Amino acid sequence: MAGRRPGQTQTRADILAAARNQFGQRGYNGATIRGIAAEAGVNPALVHHFFGSKEQVFAAALNLPMTPSSIVDAITQGPRDQIGERIIRLFLGVWSAPDSRQTFFALVRSVTSNEQIASLMRQFLEHTVIGPVSAALDLPPLRVTGAASQGIGLAMVRYVIRVEPLASATDDEVVELVAPVLQHYFTP
Amino acid sequence: MAGRRPGQTQTRADILAAARNQFGQRGYNGATIRGIAAEAGVNPALVHHFFGSKEQVFAAALNLPMTPSSIVDAITQGPRDQIGERIIRLFLGVWSAPDSRQTFFALVRSVTSNEQIASLMRQFLEHTVIGPVSAALDLPPLRVTGAASQGIGLAMVRYVIRVEPLASATDDEVVELVAPVLQHYFTP
């Protein structure tokens, strides 16, 4: 936040609050930078200036540590027969870094109790992860949602509920356990 | 509740509150009917009279629609090569019945925000499901926690976040998608 004036901080917060509302109400495809700017009472150019594209506003609204397209690239670029391991290592990296771990904790907590966050998460998964991954891999979207369910359940059991021995297993043990199983969603 | 006197209803509620506290504080193995009765200010015989065994008090405290041992039996009894399908069909049955669906919704919501419930859920999974299933199948407990993570993630994505196309898929489509993948946790 160095060098940012107090008025800028407030404006950024107003834009993100408007974005969460617009994405929640209209969905990812229906929401527009123009609509978000109107609700926040600012010029659309300012939204672009602060955040960039709609995808980047969306990532900032959910406080994601990376953009959806960088997630999609990390999943789809590389050998198809190692996709299970690639996803699990990406997942473990995100949950190991203290900053993104806090973000994901907050997301998991709020997604079960806050319908606006649940709707944002649904948009995020359907339009910016599952759709593009499904298209890039020429795989039915249903199979990609299956893989997503394994990832989210792993977060719940290992980090939120902390069930042993999965909670204390090393990252390598988790890769060895889950990667080959997850792989089956991608190579039916 | 037909035929139950108001005093009985309050006593049952007191015993269940004491049970949630004792299981949360001492764990499933450390908690005793005697300790629960002492905290509720009643005779241990009354706890037995209302609920039965410690396992049954535990199921009532978590408001589970079935006892842990009936879950374990449903998973472990039957052909080993159909265990993935057996678990998914049990899971879909529980989430389809309105009563148990409400219970599991409440559990998923509270497990992410309430440490006492998270601790109860951890006890429930470790001691009354994963341990017995692991022993009955002669399989490392880590593999059973992997399968549990797939089940919990399926609940999150299909019923809580409601990500399409998994949210609207028929039960048979979910079985076809998840059962063969889940099976790999049990037949490495």
Side-chain angles (χ1 to χ4, degrees), chain A residues 4 23 39 74 78-79 89 114 131 149 152 158 162:
Chain A
R4 210 175 267 160
F23 284 122
E39 183 174 329
R89 292 211 180 271
N114 180 323
S149 77
I152 288 172
R158 181 168 163 85
R162 300 191 304 282

Side-chain angles (χ1 to χ4, degrees), chain A residues 40-90:
Chain A
V42 301
N43 192 298
L46 195 66
V47 179
H48 281 297
H49 170 73
F50 275 145
F51 299 102
S53 66
K54 179 162 95 169
E55 187 202 49
Q56 289 166 313
V57 178
F58 187 65
L62 268 173
N63 200 22
L64 295 176
M66 55 186 103
T67 61
S69 56
S70 68
I71 298 173
V72 171
D73 287 350
I75 293 173
T76 58
Q77 288 176 5
R80 177 76 164 254
D81 62 356
Q82 293 165 17
I83 196 167
E85 175 165 350
R86 232 166 25 247
I87 292 174
I88 291 298
R89 292 211 180 271
L90 174 72

